[in-house]
Amino acid sequence: MHPDHERTKSAPRDELVSPARRALLRTFALGGMAAVAGCMGGNDDSDSGTEQTPSNERSVGGEYVVGDQSGATTLNWLAINDQSSADRVRLTLDTLYTITSKKKIFPLLAKEITTDDERIYTVTLRDNLKWGAGYGRMTAEDWVYEIKNVFQAEENWTGYTNRRHWFHNGSPIPVEVTSELRFEISLPEPDPEYLLRPGLSEAWCIPKALLRQYVPTRDSEGLNQDPEINELAYTGNLGPYTFERSNQNTSFVAQRNEEYYLRDSDVPEAWSGSPYYDSYTYRVIPDQNARLSALQKGNITSTSIPLSSARKFQGMDDVTVQAIKQPYLTPICYNMRRNGWSQLRKQSVRHALSYAVDKTKVAQDIFRGFSDVTHTFQPRWSDWYDGSKIIKTGVGKSNDIETARSKLKAGLQGTEYAYDDTMLTGPDGSTVTLKLVITQTSTTIKTFAQYLARAYGKLGFNIEIEPVAFDTLTSNYLNNSYQGSGRPKWNVSPTNGGGRDESVSEVPWDLCLGATLNIYPLTPSSTEMFFTKRGRANYTGYYPTADLKSLYDAARSETDEKRRRKLYAEIFGTLSEEQPYNFVITGRDIYGYRDTVHGSRGRQYLANWNRQTWYRNTQ
């Protein structure tokens, strides 16, 4: 699973996901829910595996069974935008490389990827990669044909979700075959974060001979119905498991790939016998209580654990619980567009609201200790977090109702609003009511909203909580469209259809809770989409007072790490000061495993990178 990804008209695919699905590389996601299980990670900083047990001391055997909330929607990975489908394909088909818990590149299908200037990247494939279904050897031509005819096609005829990463300013990024097993990607400018972005790291491949049947006529329907696609017959020796059978509503079963290419490659010893399970199954169990019961009884090997049950399972002898740090921020969002409360555009008012919220209480009591307090758009565990530049709110002295009242009074000075420290009234003399829209499926988010109503009530506001379905939240509240006269100065996406005085959502709102945001700790330049005036995910209508656009532009292409670090420190320090959102917490993905699973018990980000090395403990 990659750490750090567009939809059609209703919403860019990499920005919004439905409640039952987790986007591959999401920008927005549903707050208050644990992710689907199936990933388990490392407990050390080794780049070779989770532990140092030699492969000859590991025995192959047993069935690994994941209890999953939902089934695959498709096995045509070009059309995938949900985690359940991606997990199943990933069993049978590796990507070019993965990213370790030390944020290093670990080669898989690619023997190596090199660059001299961080602009031209050369990918060299391993020489023992074989397609299935008689398609022969995987070559560089397979990759370049797919990139040019699918990823960079004039029309996104397959619905490929990572398409935007293969363009620069609307033009395709040049890609060229340089030998049978080597191809070259020529970026228009240096990008030291390129290999950490999802464009190349999340790409799979389909044989050219299979794909070219559908390219000339852009036959997406034919591609979707192709039996070799739907049974993953083309994957050959390219993944740890081979497809056996699938039923969307019940299960997906894969068997150990006896010809897996990594066993005949120059890899660390822990990988040389992988995978170590005879079979790997995803069993669909929609009911959460049924999944948890199956884990407790040993009928499945792993599943996700909700916050409400994590402590209970931590106390069980036969189950191990992991709470893995994730790069998803739960913020309180402020609508600074025309159909939100106008005073939210003022930094002092936003600071007042932030001072009124006790982040420690939220993290410990509402999210039950499975979260980390956050003060900007990077977590404290990020390599790019500089605490000396961060202004903290909502903790210690910065969580003070009197200071919050003082800041609110200062922000409203000279307006028609009257404030006496206990009640805020508007020009018509009535108490100011703010609409807080939340996702309705999470009890944690509901509890959080009730706490906010009390906290803001002490500040003088009346809070109207409006629970809605996640799809309604995105389509009616976060998406916005141009309502002005003439042509908009910009219309970059469904979540930023123009300036904040002209482009507004279908339904007015003031505050939002329940849409989590990807903070991209590996590629922090990606966060520009939220915080520049024309950023494609700037749904709140935030206009920074600092020149964040120039800072982001400089950081994106800066190859000197020390200078890049200073640029990011300035960006995230500025955001902590301007408070375009109340940056509250980053969360954890909580998984439960039967104690027979021998692997790692790490909690760090990317702890699941080496899942091929897990094995069954028979002692």
Side-chain angles (χ1 to χ4, degrees):
M1 186 189 328
H2 192 284
D4 294 335
H5 265 247
E6 274 187 282
R7 222 175 188 192
T8 55
K9 272 285 186 182
S10 61
R13 253 186 195 143
D14 59 345
E15 294 180 4
L16 305 170
V17 297
S18 68
R21 301 175 187 167
R22 180 172 176 178
L24 296 179
L25 298 176
R26 65 191 178 182
T27 297
F28 292 105
L30 180 65
M33 289 182 65
V36 175
C39 299
M40 181 178 176
N43 65 346
D44 64 17
D45 288 328
S46 167
D47 285 337
S48 61
T50 56
E51 50 189 284
Q52 303 306 312
T53 307
S55 62
N56 59 9
E57 295 182 14
R58 305 175 184 217
S59 60
V60 176
E63 179 186 20
Y64 195 101
V65 183
V66 178
D68 209 345
Q69 178 182 356
S70 57
T73 57
T74 179
L75 294 179
N76 173 14
W77 58 264
L78 288 166
I80 285 176
N81 68 347
D82 65 283
Q83 193 65 47
S84 293
S85 299
D87 285 339
R88 287 147 174 79
V89 174
R90 188 173 290 111
L91 285 178
T92 69
L93 187 62
D94 282 348
T95 50
L96 289 167
Y97 57 91
T98 190
I99 302 169
T100 76
S101 55
K102 289 185 70 174
K103 292 82 173 177
K104 304 291 186 181
I105 301 303
F106 185 90
L108 293 174
L109 297 177
K111 181 179 180 180
E112 63 179 6
I113 303 178
T114 59
T115 182
D116 293 328
D117 57 2
E118 295 180 306
R119 187 181 74 83
I120 298 176
Y121 287 84
T122 300
V123 179
T124 303
L125 300 173
R126 297 186 188 273
D127 61 8
N128 61 341
L129 307 178
K130 298 178 182 179
W131 296 112
Y135 287 108
R137 189 185 199 185
M138 174 185 278
T139 67
E141 180 63 29
D142 290 310
W143 282 91
V144 173
Y145 182 84
E146 178 178 73
I147 291 168
K148 289 184 175 181
N149 291 279
V150 176
F151 300 173
Q152 297 176 334
E154 289 186 15
E155 176 189 342
N156 188 12
W157 62 278
T158 65
Y160 183 52
T161 57
N162 269 351
R163 170 182 167 84
R164 69 181 180 87
H165 295 284
W166 292 95
F167 291 81
H168 180 79
N169 292 334
S171 298
I173 295 171
V175 184
E176 179 185 5
V177 174
T178 56
S179 72
E180 183 183 15
L181 298 178
R182 187 175 289 122
F183 64 96
E184 194 172 83
I185 302 168
S186 300
L187 305 179
E189 60 185 15
D191 184 357
E193 299 171 354
Y194 178 70
L195 294 182
L196 301 177
R197 299 188 192 281
L200 192 62
S201 66
E202 274 292 303
W204 283 305
C205 195
I206 294 174
K208 175 182 176 180
L210 171 55
L211 196 56
R212 68 184 177 188
Q213 303 174 62
Y214 305 104
V215 166
T217 58
R218 299 176 179 175
D219 183 6
S220 59
E221 184 177 350
L223 186 67
N224 287 331
Q225 295 177 355
D226 190 298
E228 291 180 346
I229 296 289
N230 287 310
E231 295 182 4
L232 298 164
Y234 64 92
T235 58
N237 74 343
L238 305 177
Y241 296 90
T242 57
F243 173 91
E244 180 175 294
R245 63 182 185 274
S246 177
N247 182 302
Q248 178 180 346
N249 299 317
T250 58
S251 65
F252 177 96
V253 181
Q255 298 294 326
R256 183 175 189 263
N257 192 338
E258 300 297 338
E259 298 180 357
Y260 187 35
Y261 71 95
L262 275 186
R263 296 204 294 276
D264 187 29
S265 302
D266 182 17
V267 291
E269 189 173 3
W271 293 74
S272 61
S274 62
Y276 296 97
Y277 283 91
D278 285 326
S279 65
Y280 204 110
T281 298
Y282 282 94
R283 184 177 300 164
V284 179
I285 309 175
D287 181 74
Q288 178 177 277
N289 291 331
R291 291 197 304 276
L292 297 179
S293 176
L295 177 64
Q296 187 173 355
K297 294 176 181 178
N299 295 330
I300 60 175
T301 311
S302 68
T303 193
S304 62
I305 304 289
L307 279 172
S308 58
S309 300
R311 298 297 182 194
K312 170 186 174 182
F313 277 84
Q314 279 184 327
M316 294 181 182
D317 293 334
D318 298 332
V319 175
T320 296
V321 173
Q322 283 186 294
I324 303 175
K325 294 180 178 179
Q326 293 297 314
Y328 301 112
L329 175 77
T330 298
I332 302 167
C333 305
Y334 306 129
N335 184 11
M336 290 170 261
R337 294 188 178 274
R338 192 185 66 214
N339 64 347
W341 187 44
S342 61
Q343 304 305 303
L344 291 171
R345 298 183 179 185
K346 297 179 177 178
Q347 180 176 304
S348 181
V349 172
R350 299 196 299 271
H351 268 257
L353 293 171
S354 294
Y355 267 66
V357 176
D358 185 342
K359 292 181 179 178
T360 303
K361 180 180 179 64
V362 172
Q364 294 300 320
D365 296 347
I366 298 176
F367 284 84
R368 298 175 172 87
F370 292 98
S371 62
D372 301 294
V373 169
T374 310
H375 300 290
T376 188
F377 212 65
Q378 286 292 281
R380 284 178 291 180
W381 48 262
S382 167
D383 291 341
W384 307 103
Y385 182 89
D386 185 344
S388 68
K389 303 293 185 180
I390 302 302
I391 295 176
K392 297 181 178 180
T393 59
V395 295
K397 294 181 179 180
S398 65
N399 171 226
D400 178 71
I401 190 63
E402 295 304 324
T403 305
R405 288 167 176 164
S406 176
K407 289 182 176 293
L408 182 59
K409 185 176 294 185
L412 297 175
Q413 190 172 6
T415 70
E416 297 182 88
Y417 290 89
Y419 186 51
D420 64 0
D421 289 348
T422 58
M423 182 173 293
L424 173 63
T425 55
D428 61 358
S430 62
T431 301
V432 173
T433 296
L434 299 182
K435 179 190 287 189
L436 170 60
V437 58
I438 69 170
T439 50
Q440 65 185 14
T441 54
S442 169
T443 56
T444 301
I445 292 300
K446 290 178 182 178
T447 302
F448 193 176
Q450 291 163 359
Y451 164 74
L452 288 182
R454 294 191 297 271
Y456 292 154
K458 294 177 183 178
L459 200 52
F461 292 93
N462 179 49
I463 301 299
E464 175 187 323
I465 300 174
E466 184 167 339
V468 298
F470 185 79
D471 285 348
T472 302
L473 172 67
T474 59
S475 61
N476 292 359
Y477 295 86
L478 301 185
N479 285 2
N480 53 82
S481 59
Y482 186 71
Q483 305 295 321
S485 58
R487 295 174 60 87
K489 292 181 179 179
W490 71 84
N491 181 4
V492 294
S493 75
T495 49
N496 190 356
R500 63 188 185 185
D501 287 321
E502 295 85 25
S503 186
V504 297
S505 58
E506 182 177 327
V507 182
W509 63 281
D510 302 302
L511 311 171
C512 170
L513 185 64
T516 63
L517 309 180
N518 192 330
I519 52 182
Y520 296 94
L522 295 185
T523 60
S525 61
S526 300
T527 64
E528 176 188 358
M529 71 177 80
F530 297 105
F531 302 116
T532 55
K533 186 180 291 188
R534 301 190 184 194
R536 66 184 183 85
N538 185 0
Y539 62 94
T540 64
Y542 165 58
Y543 287 5
T545 57
D547 187 4
L548 291 182
K549 182 68 168 63
S550 294
L551 291 172
Y552 273 114
D553 288 345
R556 184 179 296 103
S557 59
E558 179 55 69
T559 58
D560 183 275
E561 186 174 317
K562 289 184 178 179
R563 288 197 291 268
R564 193 160 79 253
R565 193 173 296 279
K566 288 182 179 180
L567 289 166
Y568 284 139
E570 186 172 352
I571 289 170
F572 296 118
T574 297
L575 291 175
S576 72
E577 180 180 5
E578 296 202 2
Q579 290 285 297
Y581 312 117
N582 185 348
F583 308 104
V584 186
I585 58 161
T586 51
R588 312 281 181 91
D589 277 350
I590 307 172
Y591 305 114
Y593 303 91
R594 297 297 301 178
D595 62 358
T596 55
V597 178
H598 205 70
S600 61
R601 296 293 182 264
R603 294 184 175 88
Q604 75 274 31
Y605 179 43
L606 297 180
N608 60 340
W609 74 273
N610 47 12
R611 56 195 173 275
Q612 287 97 322
T613 64
W614 311 343
Y615 62 101
R616 185 180 59 155
N617 185 355
T618 57
Q619 297 180 354

